[in-house]
Amino acid sequence: MIEDKNPKRTPLSELGEFKLIEHLTKHFEITQTSTIKSIGDDAAVLDHGDKQIVVSTDLLVEGVHFDLSYVPLKHLGYKAVMVNLSDIYAMNATATQVTISIAVSNRFPLEALEELYEGITTAAKLYNIDVVGGDTTSATSGLIISVTAIGEVKKDKVVLRSGAKPNDLLVVTGDIGGAYMGLQVLEREKEVFKVNPNSQPDLSMYTYIIERQLKPEARKDIIELLEKLAVTPTSMIDISDGLSSEVIHLCKQSKVGVDVYENKIPLDPQVISTCEEFNIDSTTIALNGGEDYELLMTVSQDDFPKIKGNPNLTVIGYITEEERGMHLVTRAEEKIPIIAKGWNALNNQS
Amino acid sequence: MIEDKNPKRTPLSELGEFKLIEHLTKHFEITQTSTIKSIGDDAAVLDHGDKQIVVSTDLLVEGVHFDLSYVPLKHLGYKAVMVNLSDIYAMNATATQVTISIAVSNRFPLEALEELYEGITTAAKLYNIDVVGGDTTSATSGLIISVTAIGEVKKDKVVLRSGAKPNDLLVVTGDIGGAYMGLQVLEREKEVFKVNPNSQPDLSMYTYIIERQLKPEARKDIIELLEKLAVTPTSMIDISDGLSSEVIHLCKQSKVGVDVYENKIPLDPQVISTCEEFNIDSTTIALNGGEDYELLMTVSQDDFPKIKGNPNLTVIGYITEEERGMHLVTRAEEKIPIIAKGWNALNNQS
């Protein structure tokens, strides 16, 4: 009925996810004194006494964010929690609680939901968080999981996306591109399975990248490491949509430019070999593949001695003045502009 | 694929919503010292300094919780916020922030989402809350809205479901049954419209109950009233699933019994007349119809002088010892056991 009564129709795909959120939320005014940071960071920041509360929420939709033909439900439950904890850690906060809401069609038996909750329980135990609420309801089709994560951080330790300064170091944790290449392998096996259901794929050479896709770990350890090293990043974001998209977020919100060095981007050997096998450029994957849930941060040059040589932290570039723009410095020492082609749930759908 | 690999299949409808949540969440352990109250109340309670934070979350699914053939999107956005604020007020807390996540199929143009957000914005303004985050993503079908509301309350003012004591008064706000009867009228008009799309229904005699269904108001005013009257209820819950279901929740969690007096249940004249028209017993509707978002509370007899005669608060019964059981005292002074037939999203689905 909506279709009939509204003469103007703008397809959602015209805007993309970020512009859509921006467009829809621009009218929200902040009136509560306890709201320190609202929409536009990894999590909202609320002021309560000497600590600040951070809140983040994510929705995972079957057929959009996951494909149950190769994602075990246990892993899905685990990942749904990780995706949200990652946002909390990206604020330099400690995650403390989550709420989980699930809408499920009656195609799923109870045993399927038990598997899903097993993954959620495992995640909660390992990451020391409490599941404090939620809602379970039916859906007309598919499975939808909505998670809200809550964390806390001391007032002077909260890290926003907007604090990067010229000359800061751009630092990434772990290695990137693995989750995307794991997805490519799983998608290929699904196609093979369709043609020949008896095929027994040998996935042993892809274990790392498949695990990166199916069972990502949020970097709680990095927040603990940063505290131990006495380093407070000047800005931070988690890598859910791909490096280039996150670099752009940091720079735009900090009003700075950046030079990212292609030869510094950390790639696992399995990502490189699988990219060769699939005949894809590994830098393209590192820049645009999503779902690695590593952290991207900027660190003052003064802190370089503290992070130097740490295997968890790789310096991949330098923050510049805004007017210098955002560039990738290639292995051939060419400077090319960084453009977001990040994983975009709204454009991925036809 | 889940269907194939799992030999045991228990249909979700066998359990119902409450048992399902209980079953799935029983393994969650609480490890955070800041978690005061977890799953099992209207909202979770988290300890932060001199105030406590309350968090509640709800998922609304098209085709399960709403039918867009007669629910305007603006009203839907408003209602999605109300449903969650109601849970916060049921803790005797002040709602301060919400996060909104939306999964939407590309059947919806941008203008539809704008309407939805207009309702959300209106609710936020009127109830003085901030929209601090969310997620917008695509869905393979339909529209799903997930809202998490956050509130705060002084430590000594938080009201749980579990505090009712024998001899307390059972008190309900406003009047009940209206939202359900409004839905019946709307459903009937939808059927008429299917047969004759040119019919121009006269709904003027149903304005109150239709508004109760389409645009419910969470009882923020009651929380303010209770503060003004210096009354802290001993227990409280919001009426989302129907009076009988909520009475049972309060009594079970407080380990008490109750006598509810049929002739005291507040009904609007429009509910009574529409029940007569539909040939349904109005007490059945009051007990089992849902979505009124009134508050049900227990109040110490000592506080009776403070609430006596207040048009917003109606005493409908008395709390008894647990072994006395839960009963409705009919107009004929018969005592019949209260059984939950509440609105149940999982059973409603075929």
Side-chain angles (χ1 to χ4, degrees):
Chain A
M1 306 232 171
I2 306 149
E3 286 83 343
D4 299 333
K5 68 182 176 194
N6 207 324
K8 201 188 154 204
R9 289 174 52 82
T10 313
L12 294 180
S13 52
E14 247 182 41
L15 284 97
E17 186 185 350
F18 301 125
K19 281 209 181 135
L20 177 63
I21 293 176
E22 204 181 298
H23 177 84
L24 292 173
T25 60
K26 65 187 172 197
H27 297 300
F28 291 133
E29 286 164 28
I30 299 305
T31 59
Q32 291 287 337
T33 51
S34 64
T35 305
I36 304 294
K37 177 80 200 170
S38 180
I39 291 164
D41 217 299
D42 295 272
V45 181
L46 316 178
D47 187 32
H48 283 284
D50 55 336
K51 288 211 172 178
Q52 291 183 333
I53 309 292
V54 291
V55 181
S56 172
T57 193
D58 264 302
L59 207 56
L60 297 180
V61 180
E62 184 184 356
V64 180
H65 299 98
F66 56 87
D67 181 335
L68 288 175
S69 60
Y70 52 73
V71 177
L73 280 160
K74 205 188 290 182
H75 286 176
L76 180 64
Y78 192 88
K79 185 169 176 172
V81 175
M82 286 308 125
V83 168
N84 277 274
L85 297 191
S86 184
D87 282 322
I88 300 296
Y89 300 137
M91 308 300 287
N92 202 32
T94 305
T96 49
Q97 286 94 5
V98 291
T99 65
I100 315 261
S101 291
I102 288 171
V104 58
S105 82
N106 47 25
R107 160 183 139 225
F108 293 86
L110 176 63
E111 289 72 20
L113 288 196
E114 284 174 339
E115 263 191 66
L116 185 74
Y117 270 77
E118 214 181 306
I120 293 168
T121 308
T122 305
K125 271 192 189 154
L126 273 174
Y127 283 75
N128 193 27
I129 48 154
D130 295 342
V131 182
V132 296
D135 192 15
T136 308
T137 186
S138 60
T140 44
S141 75
L143 174 65
I144 296 116
I145 309 173
S146 172
V147 179
T148 298
I150 297 159
E152 54 179 46
V153 55
K154 280 190 203 137
K155 262 184 191 178
D156 57 337
K157 294 289 181 197
V158 65
V159 177
L160 303 181
R161 294 179 180 177
S162 54
K165 298 271 174 295
N167 299 318
D168 282 352
L169 305 170
L170 184 69
V171 175
V172 70
T173 64
D175 54 71
I176 56 180
Y180 184 84
M181 288 316 294
L183 182 64
Q184 300 316 305
V185 170
L186 290 167
E187 292 274 8
R188 184 179 64 184
E189 292 312 318
K190 186 185 170 185
E191 294 308 311
V192 171
F193 181 85
K194 274 187 197 163
V195 178
N196 176 12
N198 294 318
S199 74
Q200 289 287 332
D202 176 15
L203 297 176
S204 59
M205 59 194 290
Y206 307 111
T207 46
Y208 176 70
I209 57 175
I210 288 175
E211 186 154 332
R212 292 288 280 174
Q213 169 59 223
L214 293 182
K215 196 166 168 289
E217 302 289 346
R219 301 302 309 254
K220 183 190 187 193
D221 59 327
I222 296 293
I223 304 313
E224 292 162 353
L225 174 69
L226 290 171
E227 204 189 351
K228 209 160 64 184
L229 298 174
V231 172
T232 303
T234 53
S235 72
M236 189 152 57
I237 189 170
D238 79 320
I239 303 180
S240 54
D241 290 327
L243 183 61
S244 61
S245 166
E246 314 303 357
V247 163
I248 292 169
H249 280 307
L250 274 196
C251 289
K252 282 200 170 165
Q253 293 197 34
S254 295
K255 298 192 174 63
V256 294
V258 73
D259 285 338
V260 178
Y261 291 83
E262 184 183 13
N263 63 352
K264 298 291 183 192
I265 297 172
L267 301 173
D268 186 86
Q270 220 171 73
V271 171
I272 297 171
S273 62
T274 312
C275 279
E276 281 168 5
E277 188 190 332
F278 277 73
N279 203 17
I280 322 178
D281 176 51
S282 58
T283 302
T284 305
I285 296 313
L287 289 173
N288 302 312
E291 299 196 280
D292 286 314
Y293 300 106
E294 295 293 343
L295 295 170
L296 178 72
M297 65 189 90
T298 54
V299 172
S300 164
Q301 295 245 10
D302 300 343
D303 285 331
F304 181 60
K306 297 180 189 168
I307 64 166
K308 192 183 165 185
N310 192 304
N312 287 295
L313 304 169
T314 308
V315 177
I316 60 167
Y318 300 92
I319 300 300
T320 62
E321 300 289 343
E322 189 175 18
E323 53 273 23
R324 296 272 301 274
M326 299 175 275
H327 293 96
L328 179 76
V329 182
T330 67
R331 288 192 183 85
E333 295 197 0
E334 272 182 304
K335 270 189 149 188
I336 56 174
I338 293 176
I339 301 160
K341 292 184 199 156
W343 182 86
N344 185 322
L346 286 165
N347 282 342
N348 279 356
Q349 283 304 102
S350 58
Chain B
M1 305 235 168
I2 306 149
E3 286 84 343
D4 299 332
K5 70 182 179 194
N6 207 323
K8 201 187 156 207
R9 287 175 54 83
T10 313
L12 294 181
S13 52
E14 248 182 39
L15 285 97
E17 187 185 348
F18 301 126
K19 279 205 182 139
L20 176 63
I21 293 176
E22 204 182 298
H23 178 84
L24 292 173
T25 59
K26 66 187 173 197
H27 297 300
F28 291 133
E29 288 164 27
I30 298 306
T31 58
Q32 291 286 336
T33 51
S34 64
T35 305
I36 304 293
K37 176 81 199 171
S38 180
I39 292 164
D41 216 299
D42 295 271
V45 181
L46 315 179
D47 186 31
H48 283 282
D50 55 337
K51 289 214 170 177
Q52 291 182 334
I53 309 292
V54 291
V55 181
S56 171
T57 193
D58 265 301
L59 207 56
L60 297 180
V61 180
E62 184 184 355
V64 178
H65 301 98
F66 57 88
D67 181 335
L68 288 175
S69 60
Y70 52 74
V71 177
L73 280 160
K74 205 187 291 183
H75 286 176
L76 180 64
Y78 192 89
K79 184 168 177 174
V81 175
M82 285 309 126
V83 168
N84 277 273
L85 297 191
S86 183
D87 282 321
I88 300 296
Y89 300 137
M91 308 301 287
N92 202 30
T94 305
T96 48
Q97 287 93 4
V98 292
T99 66
I100 315 261
S101 291
I102 288 171
V104 59
S105 82
N106 48 24
R107 161 184 139 225
F108 293 86
L110 177 63
E111 288 72 20
L113 289 196
E114 285 174 340
E115 264 192 65
L116 185 75
Y117 269 77
E118 214 181 307
I120 293 168
T121 308
T122 305
K125 272 192 189 155
L126 273 173
Y127 283 75
N128 193 26
I129 49 156
D130 295 342
V131 182
V132 295
D135 192 13
T136 309
T137 185
S138 61
T140 44
S141 74
L143 174 65
I144 297 116
I145 309 172
S146 172
V147 180
T148 298
I150 297 160
E152 53 179 47
V153 54
K154 279 190 203 138
K155 262 184 189 175
D156 57 338
K157 294 288 180 196
V158 65
V159 176
L160 304 181
R161 294 179 180 176
S162 53
K165 297 270 174 298
N167 299 319
D168 282 353
L169 306 169
L170 184 70
V171 175
V172 70
T173 64
D175 54 72
I176 56 179
Y180 183 84
M181 288 316 295
L183 183 62
Q184 300 314 304
V185 170
L186 290 167
E187 292 274 8
R188 184 179 65 183
E189 291 313 317
K190 185 186 170 183
E191 294 307 313
V192 171
F193 181 84
K194 275 186 196 163
V195 179
N196 177 12
N198 294 318
S199 75
Q200 288 287 333
D202 176 15
L203 297 175
S204 59
M205 60 194 290
Y206 308 111
T207 47
Y208 176 70
I209 58 175
I210 288 175
E211 187 155 330
R212 292 288 282 174
Q213 169 59 224
L214 293 182
K215 197 166 167 289
E217 302 289 345
R219 301 301 312 251
K220 184 190 186 192
D221 59 327
I222 296 293
I223 303 313
E224 293 162 353
L225 175 68
L226 290 171
E227 205 190 347
K228 209 160 64 184
L229 297 174
V231 172
T232 303
T234 54
S235 72
M236 189 151 58
I237 190 170
D238 79 319
I239 303 181
S240 53
D241 290 327
L243 184 62
S244 61
S245 166
E246 315 303 357
V247 163
I248 291 169
H249 280 306
L250 273 195
C251 288
K252 282 201 169 165
Q253 293 197 33
S254 295
K255 298 192 172 63
V256 293
V258 74
D259 285 338
V260 179
Y261 291 83
E262 184 184 14
N263 63 353
K264 299 290 183 193
I265 297 171
L267 301 173
D268 186 86
Q270 221 171 74
V271 171
I272 296 170
S273 62
T274 312
C275 280
E276 281 168 5
E277 188 189 334
F278 277 74
N279 203 18
I280 323 178
D281 177 50
S282 59
T283 301
T284 305
I285 296 312
L287 289 174
N288 303 312
E291 299 197 279
D292 286 315
Y293 301 106
E294 295 292 344
L295 294 169
L296 179 72
M297 66 189 90
T298 54
V299 172
S300 164
Q301 296 246 10
D302 300 342
D303 285 330
F304 181 62
K306 297 181 190 169
I307 64 166
K308 192 182 165 186
N310 192 304
N312 287 294
L313 303 168
T314 308
V315 177
I316 60 167
Y318 299 93
I319 300 300
T320 62
E321 300 290 342
E322 189 175 15
E323 53 273 22
R324 298 271 302 275
M326 298 175 275
H327 293 96
L328 179 76
V329 183
T330 67
R331 288 192 184 84
E333 295 197 0
E334 273 181 306
K335 270 190 151 187
I336 56 171
I338 293 176
I339 300 160
K341 291 185 201 157
W343 182 84
N344 185 321
L346 286 164
N347 282 342
N348 278 358
Q349 283 303 104
S350 58

